[in-house]
Amino acid sequence: MAHWSTFEKETEKETKKLIRCISGVEDEEDQNFQLALKFAWSNFRFHRYLDVDSHKIQRSISGIYEKLMVHSDLSKAGSWMRLTEEFLNSPLPNTDRAKTDAHYSILSLLLFLSGSPSNTNFTEKPRLKEAEPEDDFDWAKYLMEGEDIDIGPYPDTPEWSEEESEDEDSQQPISREDSGIQLDRTPQEDQDNTNKTVPVTWTVGEPDARAWLEQHVVTPYWVAHAPRFPHSLHLHSNLLNVWDQHLYNTDPLYLPEEKAFVTETQVIRETLWLLSGVKKHFIFQHHDGKVSVRNNVVVTHLTSNCLRSVLEHIAVYGQAVFRLQRFIDEVTGYNSDPCPPGSGSSYSSKKGSEPPFRTYQAFVWALNKYFTGFKEELTTIERELICNDETVTLSAVLERLSPHLAQIKVLHKVFCTGVAEVPPATPNVVRASHLLNTLYKAIIEYDSVGEASEQAVALLFSLWTETVRPYLEIVDEWIVHGHLFDPAKEFIIQRNKDVPVNHRDFWYATYTLYSVSEMVENEEKLNDAASGSSGGDQGSSNRQLTMVSFLKPVLKQIIMAGKSMQLLKNLDCKDTEQSDRSSRDAERKSLYTLFLESVQSRLCSQEESPTDTVTEQQATKRSLVKMQSIIAQHLEIEDVHDPLLAINFARLYLEQSDFHERFSGGDFIVDRSSQSVTCQTFELTLRSCLYPHIERRYIECCGNLMKTLKKDYKLLEYLQAMRNYFLLEAGDTMYDFYTAIFDKVQEKESWQQLSFLNVQLQEAVGQRYPEDSSRLSVFLETIDPSRKKHPVNNLEVLTLSYKVPWPVDIVISSECQKIYNQVFLLLLQIKWAKYSLDTLRFSDFTDVTKKLEGALPEEVKVKEPINQQIHRMCLLRVKLMHFVNSLHNYIMTRILHSTGLEFQHQVQEAKDLDQLIKIHYRYLATIHDRCLLREKVSFVKEAIMKVLNLVLIFSDRWQAGFGAWKIESIDKMESDFKNCHMFLVTILNKAVCRGSFPHCK
């Protein structure tokens, strides 16, 4: 260790202290201690860190100094530069040189550790430097010992120094006339030369630095009785005095008021400050949210009325900026301060603790983005005003700012309509929808003007693009990930959290569609009941509910895709399909990004085809000239000579393909409904850049859901099962079930027993469809006792039930099963009548009759022979069988079979679950209507039920023979059947002729 330097020895010592402090090992001979020591020395000697860059550190020091100067921290800036320079030039303990790598390394460490130097309160503390010991040794005496020195005749004269001479020369004031700069002096300037102030020296760090700056940089025109600034006495520069003198001479009652004189430069700067959002001014004043102009402010070269008219015009825009800036501050800073009356900000009336919803945040972000660029333009103008030697007038500045002022007017109008005029305590969904509708309508309004409002349309479109971002993000989150994330409840569709996803009412009662109450005329209320949507709260009687305008064309697709995606995320799909779909969703771009890219590509495509645009413009111009001549001729017929009117008419109807033919013919009818002349550009942008992405996502989501339901959850098999059992399409299976019931009835045995019915049903279904045997069951219900007097009504106690699992029960709901049961009961009654007639045998009837023939009275035999009675019974049986068979074939073929084939075809073409539900409902409504189960045609069904009841009575009497009933009953049965038959034929013929029953033709 003898060859080590002092620095290395000290480093070794400090390293050991570091190891003891961190590891806690005190024994230096310990193996762990030695390993830690070697590791530390290895990192000290062979580290991979770059050496400090002195130039970079110097730039950082200069940058901090410049930043402090900009923030007017003059004392801090001076201390910073002085201390850093002093440190760089001071020796360190290990080196005597200045500005070494060690110096810059320490400064680099301090810069990395510093947070925000400009926001730190710093006061330099005086540090006492160690006084260097004075050398009392008389070196002059020692060196000149033994020398004779001639001090001259005047030994008391002080020694001459060149530095003192230079200092005296520098204290002499330099004449501006001698410097070659010629000044245009006025008599007033010559008069004021005698009262020149003595130059004041000022150094950084003095406590009165700010006071000196305020007193010597600009004349304090904002204080009372401010001194007049020097100005030229030229006539043009004293128009105010000339005008005041004229008023004084012409009006004896004129009394001059005390005025505050300012320069036009000061007016320009305060105008720029006002438009920048600064609240404290001298010329402009803020009172209760309104900006006014001070009455006594004048300039020497303008009259008071002229200046005031210009400043009041500026104050209007300043007030607009103030209101917009206040709204920005409230939203970004959650400002809960009460709004002054008339400020127009309704948002601050809400609770201060409530954060603003995302649509307002996006709108404020767009406003702030615009005002950032606007303030940069104002800063550039002010910098040019300060640095340039050229004269800048207020009119030139206003001319330069005129495009921005027009845009501020547009923004303020949108803000007033979309935000400020919204009543307090309005729900966020209404606020967001109203703001988006306001922007949408403003774009339509300004776009209809044409080229005169291109800048306004561009500004509003960029503002709308930023404001609509939360809405599109909510839509994207819903239709891509199945999650409707809307914590502030600003989206027009709200999730009903009381209904879980795995509930059978999920598709109908999960989401609520809210609307915005606005003054509209002849606009229908949007209400999609089939999709589970319901309108919001009704407004006043003279208001109707309208939806967010830009979402209307794709609102159904959004709802369907969102609900389908949420349902799909909760289904137990195949793992591979689910993982593939999740990976695709993760890689997919957001809807907002796709929209912006589509807009950008559309703009680029329009810019890349200038030749086509020029050609199209030339063709349009030629067509316009041609149409103008045609319209001018027609106008001259009506004694109207107006070329501008002809041009506008030609522009209006130019795009109609059949314009020339219609206009040149004899009959000409103005039809403005055929062509929309407003906002074609914006609507086409939405249709080409936004709606296709939503459509594609809708097709993908709904297609995946339909595929999953059909493949994994056997939706089609369950629909077929409903038709097999309830509509008796599985004839062989259900035949065994209902014939067992009919046999019990004919044998006069009790059949209304659940055990018997379920056993028969399980046996019938289990043989061919074992997987459905556990799902199908029978229930018995009570009926009105008055209906039991008709035998055909006894089957009404039967109710068939089929257990449908989730999510198939969304399609096959309990309401659907009620309709299925009504049709099933009708079919069962028809089957009973048909079975009763089919099981009648002529031999059975004759055998019973012969047995009872001997017991018949003589008057019966004389009245009508037995053979003739048997013949009448057989004819009636044939008539009844013809009626029942015709009805049975019509129901089973023309209605159920044909409608079922059409239903199967529609199910295969269904694009989404909602469409499938509607198809299923429509199918059930069709068979319910065609089976005469509607209340409106109940009288027809009653006539049919009378015939079916007559069939059952006829079957009982056939089996009982002639001895069990009177001969007059045959006449009554024939008469009843004839009346019912004639009634049905008459009613159905009239209905077919009217077209009420097209399926009966």
Side-chain angles (χ1 to χ4, degrees):
M1 191 178 295
H3 63 280
W4 279 19
S5 63
T6 305
F7 175 73
E8 291 175 335
K9 293 178 182 179
E10 292 179 357
T11 305
E12 174 82 6
K13 183 179 179 181
E14 296 297 332
T15 304
K16 290 181 179 180
K17 288 183 180 179
L18 178 64
I19 294 173
R20 292 191 190 97
C21 181
I22 295 177
S23 64
V25 180
E26 297 293 339
D27 187 8
E28 295 184 4
E29 301 300 330
D30 188 272
Q31 184 180 1
N32 293 328
F33 188 90
Q34 293 297 325
L35 289 175
L37 184 62
K38 291 180 181 181
F39 175 77
W41 269 110
S42 176
N43 281 276
F44 289 157
R45 291 174 176 172
F46 309 109
H47 64 81
R48 292 176 291 176
Y49 302 106
L50 297 177
D51 293 337
V52 65
D53 187 357
S54 60
H55 299 286
K56 186 176 181 180
I57 300 302
Q58 197 65 44
R59 285 195 299 270
S60 299
I61 293 173
S62 301
I64 293 176
Y65 173 76
E66 184 179 356
K67 186 176 183 180
L68 293 173
M69 292 298 293
V70 170
H71 285 265
S72 298
D73 291 337
L74 306 180
S75 60
K76 192 187 298 184
S79 300
W80 169 254
M81 288 303 293
R82 186 174 66 259
L83 293 176
T84 52
E85 287 295 330
E86 183 180 343
F87 172 73
L88 289 173
N89 294 320
S90 301
L92 295 178
N94 298 324
T95 178
D96 296 333
R97 293 181 293 115
K99 295 185 178 180
T100 62
D101 289 345
H103 288 83
Y104 287 108
S105 298
I106 294 175
L107 286 178
S108 177
L109 176 62
L110 293 177
L111 289 173
F112 280 128
L113 294 177
S114 65
S116 181
S118 61
N119 293 333
T120 304
N121 296 325
F122 171 77
T123 303
E124 184 179 355
K125 298 180 180 179
R127 290 188 294 273
L128 298 177
K129 296 184 179 180
E130 296 181 359
E132 297 182 359
E134 295 183 1
D135 191 0
D136 298 335
F137 186 75
D138 192 356
W139 287 97
K141 182 178 180 182
Y142 172 74
L143 294 175
M144 300 182 66
E145 184 179 357
E147 298 289 337
D148 294 333
I149 301 174
D150 185 12
I151 59 175
Y154 305 102
D156 297 333
T157 302
E159 297 182 0
W160 177 78
S161 173
E162 293 182 358
E163 295 180 358
E164 294 179 0
S165 177
E166 291 177 359
D167 293 340
E168 292 176 359
D169 293 340
S170 62
Q171 291 178 3
Q172 295 294 331
I174 301 175
S175 174
R176 297 180 66 182
E177 286 79 358
D178 296 339
S179 64
I181 301 177
Q182 301 296 327
L183 300 179
D184 182 16
R185 298 194 176 202
T186 61
Q188 186 175 0
E189 288 180 342
D190 294 335
Q191 182 181 359
D192 293 340
N193 282 338
T194 59
N195 299 327
K196 289 185 178 178
T197 59
V198 179
V200 179
T201 59
W202 168 64
T203 57
V204 177
E206 293 184 357
D208 59 341
R210 183 178 183 85
W212 183 95
L213 189 65
E214 293 176 350
Q215 294 175 6
H216 294 81
V217 171
V218 65
T219 303
Y221 60 89
W222 52 88
V223 298
H225 306 289
R228 290 283 299 272
F229 56 87
H231 67 282
S232 176
L233 297 179
H234 194 277
L235 179 63
H236 294 166
S237 300
N238 292 271
L239 182 60
L240 178 65
N241 294 333
V242 174
W243 181 251
D244 284 347
Q245 186 65 33
H246 170 71
L247 293 178
Y248 181 78
N249 296 332
T250 56
D251 187 1
L253 300 179
Y254 174 73
L255 180 63
E257 298 177 354
E258 185 178 357
K259 300 179 178 63
F261 287 87
V262 294
T263 64
E264 187 167 2
T265 301
Q266 294 167 352
V267 174
I268 294 174
R269 297 191 69 181
E270 289 220 4
T271 299
L272 298 179
W273 298 340
L274 175 68
L275 297 178
S276 298
V278 179
K279 298 180 181 178
K280 294 183 179 180
H281 308 274
F282 174 73
I283 300 176
F284 301 99
Q285 294 177 321
H286 289 265
H287 296 288
D288 297 334
K290 295 183 179 180
V291 179
S292 60
V293 181
R294 188 180 292 269
N295 294 326
N296 60 341
V297 173
V298 294
V299 293
T300 59
H301 59 284
L302 290 177
T303 62
S304 300
N305 293 336
C306 178
L307 178 64
R308 185 169 185 82
S309 64
V310 175
L311 294 181
E312 287 179 350
H313 177 70
I314 298 172
V316 172
Y317 294 102
Q319 183 174 343
V321 172
F322 171 73
R323 295 185 67 185
L324 293 173
Q325 190 63 50
R326 182 182 181 87
F327 175 67
I328 293 174
D329 295 339
E330 290 173 356
V331 175
T332 55
Y334 310 110
N335 189 7
S336 59
D337 296 337
C339 242
S343 64
S345 179
S346 61
Y347 185 77
S348 62
S349 61
K350 302 192 74 175
K351 290 191 301 182
S353 60
E354 181 182 354
F357 54 96
R358 289 190 293 170
T359 302
Y360 269 20
Q361 292 182 17
F363 179 63
V364 164
W365 168 257
L367 288 177
N368 188 60
K369 186 177 179 181
Y370 169 79
F371 277 108
T372 300
F374 178 57
K375 291 177 182 179
E376 290 177 357
E377 176 69 16
L378 296 177
T379 305
T380 303
I381 296 175
E382 186 175 6
R383 187 179 293 112
E384 294 176 357
L385 181 67
I386 296 173
C387 300
N388 293 348
D389 295 334
E390 298 180 359
T391 303
V392 180
T393 61
L394 181 61
S395 60
V397 173
L398 294 180
E399 180 66 24
R400 182 173 176 178
L401 292 176
S402 58
H404 293 282
L405 297 180
Q407 292 175 350
I408 290 176
K409 183 178 180 181
V410 173
L411 294 178
H412 186 252
K413 180 180 178 182
V414 171
F415 167 75
C416 292
T417 306
V419 177
E421 295 179 1
V422 178
T426 303
N428 289 340
V429 59
V430 180
R431 291 176 176 270
S433 303
H434 181 64
L435 177 58
L436 292 174
N437 274 344
T438 302
L439 287 170
Y440 183 84
K441 293 176 181 179
I443 295 176
I444 293 178
E445 177 183 353
Y446 284 98
D447 188 62
S448 61
V449 178
E451 299 178 356
S453 60
E454 287 183 355
Q455 292 184 353
V457 172
L459 173 64
L460 289 173
F461 182 74
S462 63
L463 198 68
W464 181 87
T465 304
E466 291 288 346
T467 308
V468 82
R469 180 172 186 168
Y471 250 58
L472 296 184
E473 288 178 349
I474 293 174
V475 172
D476 181 73
E477 179 71 17
W478 192 24
I479 66 179
V480 173
H481 303 289
H483 181 211
L484 184 59
F485 180 74
D486 184 22
K489 295 184 178 180
E490 59 186 299
F491 194 53
I492 56 174
I493 302 171
Q494 297 294 322
R495 174 76 161 89
N496 182 12
K497 296 183 180 180
D498 296 335
V499 181
V501 180
N502 58 354
H503 195 272
R504 66 181 185 89
D505 293 334
F506 162 76
W507 198 261
Y508 310 97
T510 309
Y511 294 96
T512 303
L513 181 63
Y514 288 89
S515 302
V516 182
S517 180
E518 294 181 353
M519 295 295 294
V520 294
E521 295 181 359
N522 300 326
E523 185 171 355
E524 296 182 356
K525 170 185 167 184
L526 184 61
N527 185 10
D528 190 359
S531 63
S533 304
S534 62
D537 298 335
Q538 292 285 349
S540 57
S541 59
N542 61 341
R543 291 175 177 261
Q544 293 182 354
L545 297 178
T546 77
M547 198 51 53
V548 178
S549 302
F550 80 98
L551 284 183
K552 277 186 179 180
V554 289
L555 186 61
K556 178 184 176 183
Q557 288 82 344
I558 292 174
I559 296 175
M560 293 301 104
K563 292 197 294 187
S564 299
M565 197 64 203
Q566 186 172 4
L567 184 60
L568 196 61
K569 289 289 185 180
N570 288 271
L571 294 179
D572 297 330
C573 306
K574 301 298 182 182
D575 295 338
T576 56
E577 296 180 1
Q578 186 73 17
S579 60
D580 294 342
R581 191 178 299 121
S582 300
S583 61
R584 289 195 303 268
D585 293 342
E587 297 174 358
R588 182 181 285 107
K589 295 181 180 178
S590 66
L591 179 63
Y592 182 74
T593 304
L594 293 173
F595 170 62
L596 293 184
E597 291 179 353
S598 300
V599 172
Q600 188 67 26
S601 61
R602 187 182 182 202
L603 294 176
C604 294
S605 62
Q606 291 178 356
E607 293 176 358
E608 290 175 357
S609 57
T611 306
D612 299 339
T613 305
V614 172
T615 305
E616 183 179 356
Q617 290 178 353
Q618 293 176 353
T620 304
K621 185 176 181 180
R622 289 194 297 267
S623 301
L624 182 62
V625 173
K626 183 177 180 180
M627 297 306 152
Q628 178 186 352
S629 62
I630 297 175
I631 294 175
Q633 294 176 2
H634 282 266
L635 291 176
E636 289 178 358
I637 297 176
E638 303 294 334
D639 293 333
V640 177
H641 303 279
D642 192 344
L644 293 179
L645 184 61
I647 292 175
N648 286 317
F649 268 110
R651 288 183 183 275
L652 181 62
Y653 295 100
L654 182 62
E655 295 183 0
Q656 296 185 3
S657 58
D658 58 341
F659 174 79
H660 188 273
E661 291 78 2
R662 293 174 55 200
F663 213 95
S664 300
D667 297 330
F668 176 70
I669 301 175
V670 177
D671 183 13
R672 293 177 182 244
S673 62
S674 60
Q675 289 288 336
S676 176
V677 295
T678 60
C679 195
Q680 296 179 356
T681 305
F682 183 52
E683 290 182 349
L684 288 178
T685 300
L686 294 179
R687 294 185 182 277
S688 61
C689 300
L690 178 61
Y691 299 159
H693 300 296
I694 298 177
E695 288 280 354
R696 282 194 292 268
R697 188 60 191 166
Y698 156 75
I699 294 174
E700 182 180 355
C701 292
C702 297
N704 291 334
L705 178 61
M706 293 298 295
K707 182 180 178 180
T708 302
L709 292 178
K710 292 178 182 179
K711 182 179 179 181
D712 299 339
Y713 290 89
K714 301 179 180 180
L715 174 62
L716 299 181
E717 286 78 357
Y718 284 113
L719 289 174
Q720 183 62 47
M722 297 299 293
R723 300 203 310 274
N724 287 341
Y725 306 132
F726 287 85
L727 305 185
L728 306 181
E729 288 191 8
D732 50 352
T733 300
M734 298 304 293
Y735 180 80
D736 298 337
F737 169 66
Y738 60 72
T739 52
I741 299 176
F742 299 158
D743 292 340
K744 285 277 188 179
V745 174
Q746 288 185 354
E747 294 174 3
K748 309 299 181 181
E749 297 180 3
S750 176
W751 60 272
Q752 297 182 5
Q753 299 176 0
L754 280 178
S755 58
F756 165 74
L757 294 174
N758 283 307
V759 168
Q760 293 297 326
L761 184 62
Q762 298 298 327
E763 290 179 355
V765 176
Q767 294 178 1
R768 297 173 179 83
Y769 306 100
E771 65 277 4
D772 290 335
S773 59
S774 60
R775 297 184 178 277
L776 203 60
S777 59
V778 179
F779 295 96
L780 293 177
E781 296 181 355
T782 58
I783 62 173
D784 188 2
S786 62
R787 297 182 60 82
K788 291 183 179 180
K789 63 181 181 179
H790 301 293
V792 72
N793 294 333
N794 291 333
L795 292 177
E796 292 181 358
V797 298
L798 278 177
T799 300
L800 204 59
S801 176
Y802 187 81
K803 295 180 181 179
V804 182
W806 181 85
V808 183
D809 59 353
I810 296 176
V811 180
I812 308 174
S813 60
S814 57
E815 291 78 9
C816 295
Q817 290 206 25
K818 291 180 181 179
I819 301 177
Y820 275 115
N821 265 301
Q822 293 179 16
V823 180
F824 171 71
L825 177 60
L826 176 65
L827 296 178
L828 209 60
Q829 292 171 335
I830 296 174
K831 291 286 186 180
W832 188 13
K834 185 176 184 303
Y835 183 80
S836 299
L837 292 176
D838 291 341
T839 54
L840 294 180
R841 297 291 181 270
F842 181 76
S843 58
D844 298 338
F845 179 72
T846 55
D847 293 342
V848 174
T849 303
K850 289 180 180 179
K851 291 179 182 181
L852 297 176
E853 186 176 1
L856 291 175
E858 289 295 332
E859 58 271 13
V860 175
K861 298 178 183 179
V862 174
K863 187 175 181 180
E864 185 174 2
I866 297 297
N867 293 333
Q868 190 174 357
Q869 295 179 21
I870 294 174
H871 181 68
R872 289 178 60 189
M873 290 289 290
C874 291
L875 289 178
L876 182 58
R877 175 177 179 269
V878 171
K879 292 179 181 179
L880 293 174
M881 185 173 291
H882 178 266
F883 178 88
V884 172
N885 287 338
S886 300
L887 178 63
H888 178 268
N889 292 336
Y890 167 74
I891 295 292
M892 299 301 295
T893 57
R894 288 295 301 275
I895 294 180
L896 298 182
H897 182 68
S898 301
T899 310
L901 293 177
E902 183 181 356
F903 169 67
Q904 292 177 0
H905 178 70
Q906 292 176 351
V907 167
Q908 294 295 336
E909 293 183 349
K911 295 181 180 180
D912 55 64
L913 184 58
D914 192 71
Q915 188 176 356
L916 178 61
I917 293 173
K918 291 180 180 179
I919 291 172
H920 188 231
Y921 269 109
R922 189 162 52 246
Y923 166 68
L924 292 179
T926 300
I927 61 176
H928 184 270
D929 185 23
R930 293 182 179 180
C931 289
L932 305 174
L933 297 175
R934 263 194 319 169
E935 188 69 25
K936 187 177 181 180
V937 292
S938 59
F939 60 93
V940 180
K941 180 191 173 185
E942 290 177 2
I944 295 176
M945 290 296 106
K946 287 183 180 181
V947 177
L948 297 181
N949 190 64
L950 182 63
V951 170
L952 298 179
I953 296 175
F954 175 81
S955 176
D956 289 341
R957 292 180 179 179
W958 179 286
Q959 294 176 357
F962 283 107
W965 40 278
K966 296 180 180 181
I967 191 64
E968 288 81 3
S969 61
I970 299 179
D971 298 333
K972 188 177 185 308
M973 287 188 294
E974 289 178 344
S975 174
D976 291 343
F977 175 73
K978 181 178 179 182
N979 293 334
C980 291
H981 184 265
M982 291 301 298
F983 172 77
L984 290 173
V985 170
T986 304
I987 291 297
L988 292 177
N989 283 335
K990 292 181 179 180
V992 170
C993 293
R994 288 197 310 266
S996 301
F997 296 144
H999 52 279
C1000 293
K1001 293 182 179 180

